Amino acid sequence: MLTFTLRRLLLAIPTLLVISLVIFLLVDLAPGSPLSQIPLTVPPDVRQKMIEALGADQPVMFRYVLWLRQFFWVEPMNLFDGWFGTHIVEGEQRILSWQSRSPVFSIIGERIPQTLIVIGTAYLVGILIALPIGIYSAYRQYSLFDQIGTLFAMIGFSVPTFFSGTLFIIIFSVWLGWLPTKYDTTLQVIDWASFLEQIKQMILPVMTLGLANAASISRYMRSSMLDNMGMDYVRTARAKGLSERVVVLKHVLRNSLIPVVTVIALGIPSIFGGAIITENLFGVNGIGAALIGAIQASDIPMVQTLAFIFAVLIVLFNLIADVLYGFLDPRIRYD
Amino acid sequence: MADGAAPVLEVRGLKTVFRTRGGEIHAVNDVSFTLHPGELLGVVGESGSGKSVTMMSLLRLLPAPPADIRSGTAKLNGRDLLAMTDAELRATRGARVGFVFQDPMTSLNPVFTLGNQIMEPLIKHKGMTKRQAETRAVELLELVGIPDARRRLYQYPHQFSGGMRQRVMIAIALACDPDVLIADEPTTALDVTIQAQILELVKELRQKLGMAIIWITHDLGVIAGIADRVIVMYGGQVVEQAPVKELFANPQHPYTRALLQTIPRISGERSERLKVIEGQPPILTGPLTACPFRARCEYRHDACDATNPPRRAIDGQAVGEGHDVACHWYALAKVEMANA
Ligand SMILES: Nc1ncnc2c1ncn2[C@@H]1O[C@H](COP(=O)(O)OP(=O)(O)O)[C@@H](O)[C@H]1O
Ligand SMILES: [Mg+2]
């Protein structure tokens, strides 16, 4: 297992290098030198340092290596310096956002908590709703519960979040006036009242995205349960005199969870990437919103960085999904 | 055979129907049989003759729907399994009746250790602690001939061969000292040498533990070596029933005779060519109104098309006790003999 994980980690390195090269070249080879687009509001000395840091006057491959160095050495070490008070990369030029002129990684660092709180909660809520529904729908296949579940899953699948989100805003904010339309990023949770306020403003985005996630995960859970329900070992479990609860929630569920857990792990990067629409709709100032803003403002360093972070996350969670699979299924032997 | 002693299991008039989209399938038709304490009852018949459905009906292990047990009683030590509440039935499954299924490769749960799966019935039925159950599980694995049992306890099914898995299935079925062990073609999926080993194991266990066994197979050759008594099934019903020696010496039903001819026999150096029974088993879309074997029978007669023959005793004993057969041809031949 350990060797497998290490091997996969090593294999991830070339994958990431190729992805980073593609991302770098896509932006770098676009018409006009990206560095010529540095806004004029950037002071000349800073501008000069940025050009040097990214090697604008050097050949493409050299610039790529410099960019990689920036990405894998300067920025992580900056974080390290910040945590442990060391001075390893002090004075090194960092990747700056052309919009705000502050380091890209600092902006991302500020945005990530917003995304994690709202979108992460939505994903979690989606899973928590989906699993029991999927399990019970399979156990009582074709029952009224199952059919209602199927209907809701169909709706959740087919209705895009920008529509359901707008609908929820109209119903719960405009008509009923129960919940705020916009998510207030500046709200600080300091006491009970502000905590309630935070919960209230999270409900709509969490509900919108949570339902969409629950729709697909509950279907996965249901079909995986159904696949296992007819297996011979289930009959063996019943023949041992075990109760239906143990048969279903131990024997069937434990097997059914293997593919579902994998799907859930593979879906986690989409918390960061796939929530762009929801974040924009509700004004959640997260990573998705940052990406949209950066694209609109041609903020190339920001776009490059975010694109690469998404790529890293996808590769990372693919690896995690594989490792989880081996962990959950004793038949998988990697070594 | 313990004549006189009360039977452990007494099945009467069992009827099981599958309700499918294409109509009903009458898989088990009025099956009756008796199992005495310590007896090994062989059940033979081609694939699709209703052997598995009969046995699974007893413990209500068939998915319902589509399975529907229409009528019948199945008294285990005097208590009707088919009339039990679900809770009573669960207390019986695995405790009083152990079940070994055909395919050892799929019958164990792949994600739990063997120890876990053997200990489950012990904890559930015997109220053992985990530690007690573990000790007993090691004993059971040793009993069924698995070496290095304590270490094996923590392994998963995929780490065992087919034969070893079937031994484990037997250990699970025997965990709670059941009165009856039902083995549904337990060696069919195994290769011949392993098959012989499992047969040896069962013979040995039977001597040690003394439970009654129902052994299902489509191979009369297997039955010859282990059974006390045999029922032959065809078309979801019992067509002949006799002590094993009597059945081999004096088979009555044309189907039994045909089955006997399919057993490979080593005679001298050359083995005889295998005979196969021509034709297909019937598709049971309705209640039987004629003999189910008539289409394949060389003794077919008008009576065979008119009614489904009942089981008749041929040796003066009660039906189900001595030798009985469900065949018009037998009855007619007897009348002719009496007239001659
Ligand atoms: N789930 C099911 N649905 C419909 N028919 C079934 C089902 N299970 C078994 N049968 C039918 O019942 C009959 C007896 O099957 P079975 O008892 O499995 O035969 P065998 O003697 O080989 O064990 C077969 O004709 C089969 O088609
Ligand atoms: Mg069968």
Side-chain angles (χ1 to χ4, degrees), chain B residues 43 86 197 207 218 251 256 276 327 334-335 340:
Chain B
V43 180
D86 286 351
Q197 289 172 10
Q207 287 215 319
H218 60 253
T256 314
V276 289
C327 178
K334 200 166 181 189
V335 172

Side-chain angles (χ1 to χ4, degrees), chain B residues 18 20 25 27 46-54 66 185:
Chain B
F18 288 99
T20 65
I25 294 177
E46 283 170 299
S47 168
S49 55
K51 308 180 297 292
S52 301
V53 175
T54 300
E185 307 208 30

